[in-house]
């Protein structure tokens, strides 16, 4: 696992250079992942494409964790159950929704709607655990939902699919629920191991859903070959490079700095979608994106003094396209 081990070599550079470079790489890796996802599902059905990818990445992360601990993972049944349950929310519901919606929405729109995950996470934390937002975070919550309504509301020149937008938002809520509950588990102190288990469980469920729905019935070798570059990119860059770098950032910079990925990645996705795929960018999209990301930014900023555990729920946006 040279990519995972290679992250540690970043420590040999000057600190400010290391932090800045890692932050930029994470922004680009997670933002570009939405574009690669769009390319992949254009050839291979979404649940098979996404499910097999997460099975592979989850297996690699577990293998790396086992190698680092010499096979002593010390997992309990409770750990496995929590990882499977939260992985169902994050990978099956969250990433599954993003993959399916990528057939109908541009990468930038999927990324912007996915960026509402911190908004849903704040709601889940409040409803389930009574964790209230600060006043600034509440303003961000209202602004974020207002931006989503403006973006997805039919008419007024909107060109996005309303059903696909709702599915993406539902997936973001599922991801948020899984991330919030997962972040409170003791296994969350070993994020690479827990993420590997979540990806493996959610990936198996996604692949099973694809098989049950007949996605492989007419799948040809030609389609697989066309999707292979996007598949390889998603495995190597966002998952095996971006995720370890993001985890490293969480332990080396303030939480609100690491979590800038929640509102920079959609901008990257929107720009790359326009540049590489000629996806249209309308004034309505730009205005809605500005409002949504401002709301997300306020939520992230208002939580900057809190414990690191919720940070993983905010930063999980990157994992959605990993």
């Amino acid at each position: 696992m040279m990519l995972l081990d290679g992250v540690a070599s970043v420590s040999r550079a000057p600190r400010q250079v290391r932090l800045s470079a890692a932050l930029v790489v994470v922004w680009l890796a997670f933002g570009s992942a939405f574009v690669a996802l769009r390319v992949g599902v254009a050839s291979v059905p979404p649940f098979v494409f996404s499910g097999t990818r997460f099975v592979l990445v989850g297996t690699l992360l577990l293998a790396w964790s086992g190698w680092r601990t010499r096979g002593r993972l010390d997992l309990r049944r409770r750990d496995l159950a929590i990882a499977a349950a939260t992985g169902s929310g994050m990978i099956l519901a969250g990433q599954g929704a993003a993959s399916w919606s990528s057939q109908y929405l541009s990468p930038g729109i999927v990324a912007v709607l996915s960026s509402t995950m911190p908004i849903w996470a704040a709601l889940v934390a409040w409803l389930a655990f009574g964790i209230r937002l600060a006043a600034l975070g509440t303003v961000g919550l209202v602004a974020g939902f207002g931006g989503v309504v403006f973006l997805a509301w039919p008419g007024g020149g909107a060109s996005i699919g309303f059903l696909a937008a709702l599915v993406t938002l539902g997936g973001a809520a599922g991801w948020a629920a899984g991330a919030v509950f997962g972040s409170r588990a003791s296994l969350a102190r070993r994020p690479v191991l827990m993420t590997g288990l979540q990806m493996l469980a959610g990936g198996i469920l996604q692949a099973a859903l694809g098989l049950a729905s007949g996605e492989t019935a007419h799948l040809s070798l030609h389609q697989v070959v066309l999707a292979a570059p996007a598949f390889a990119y998603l495995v190597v860059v966002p998952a095996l490079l971006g995720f370890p770098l993001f985890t490293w950032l969480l332990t080396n910079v303030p939480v609100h700095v690491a979590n800038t990925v929640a509102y920079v990645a959609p901008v990257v996705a929107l720009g790359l979608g326009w540049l590489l795929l000629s996806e249209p960018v309308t004034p309505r999209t730009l205005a809605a994106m500005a409002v949504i990301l401002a709301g997300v930014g306020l939520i992230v900023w208002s939580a900057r003094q809190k414990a690191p555990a919720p940070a993983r729920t905010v930063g999980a946006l990157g994992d959605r396209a990993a």
Side-chain angles (χ1 to χ4, degrees):
M1 302 299 293
M2 294 179 63
L3 281 174
L4 293 172
D5 285 331
V7 173
S9 66
V10 176
S11 61
R12 292 195 290 268
R15 178 176 173 79
Q16 194 57 45
V17 174
R18 285 185 279 136
L19 297 178
S20 299
L23 199 57
V24 171
V25 169
V26 169
W27 289 345
L28 294 175
F30 290 164
S32 63
F34 290 97
V35 178
L37 185 60
R38 168 78 166 188
V39 173
V41 299
S43 300
V44 174
F47 297 118
V48 169
F49 179 81
S50 183
T52 53
R53 177 164 50 93
F54 280 106
V55 169
L56 175 58
V57 175
T59 300
L60 291 173
L61 291 178
L62 286 178
W64 184 72
S65 297
W67 177 75
R68 290 293 297 269
T69 61
R70 297 182 180 180
R72 294 189 294 270
L73 295 179
D74 296 326
L75 290 170
R76 302 167 297 172
R77 289 184 180 179
R78 176 181 174 83
D79 295 328
L80 295 174
I82 289 174
T86 56
S88 297
M90 297 170 69
I91 306 302
L92 175 62
Q95 183 61 39
S99 299
W100 181 86
S101 298
S102 291
Q103 300 173 105
Y104 310 104
L105 301 176
S106 71
I109 296 297
V110 175
V112 170
L113 294 174
S114 296
S115 75
T116 61
M117 196 279 295
I119 298 173
W120 296 109
L123 281 177
V124 171
W126 173 44
L127 294 174
F129 303 109
I131 302 174
R132 295 183 178 274
L133 282 172
L136 193 63
T138 303
V139 173
L141 193 72
V142 174
F145 277 120
V148 168
V149 171
F150 179 66
L151 178 65
W153 195 261
S159 59
I160 72 170
F162 188 65
L163 175 60
L166 287 180
V167 169
T168 308
L169 289 172
W175 183 283
V180 168
F181 284 96
S183 70
R184 301 175 71 87
S186 59
L187 189 60
R189 291 193 291 269
R190 295 186 284 172
V192 175
L193 175 59
M194 184 170 187
T195 300
L197 290 169
Q198 290 170 330
M199 287 184 173
L200 185 59
I204 290 172
L205 290 173
Q206 268 201 65
L209 179 59
L211 291 172
S213 60
E215 283 190 347
T216 60
H218 304 289
L219 185 63
S220 67
L221 178 61
H222 177 66
Q223 290 173 292
V224 173
V225 171
L226 288 177
F231 185 95
Y233 182 87
L234 286 165
V235 168
V236 174
V237 178
L240 297 182
L241 177 62
F243 171 74
L245 276 177
F246 179 75
T247 303
W248 179 78
L249 280 171
L250 285 175
T251 63
N252 286 274
V253 300
V255 167
H256 66 284
V257 174
N259 282 328
T260 54
V261 67
Y263 42 95
V264 176
V267 178
V268 172
L270 200 69
L272 289 178
W274 170 78
L275 180 65
L276 301 178
L277 304 179
S278 300
E279 297 283 358
V281 180
T282 66
R284 181 189 183 98
T285 298
L286 292 175
M289 180 182 70
V291 174
I292 292 170
L293 299 186
V296 172
L298 288 174
I299 291 174
V300 173
W301 184 260
S302 69
R304 65 191 184 278
Q305 299 299 332
K306 293 184 178 181
R312 193 167 180 271
T313 69
V314 177
L317 167 68
D319 296 345
R320 293 200 63 189

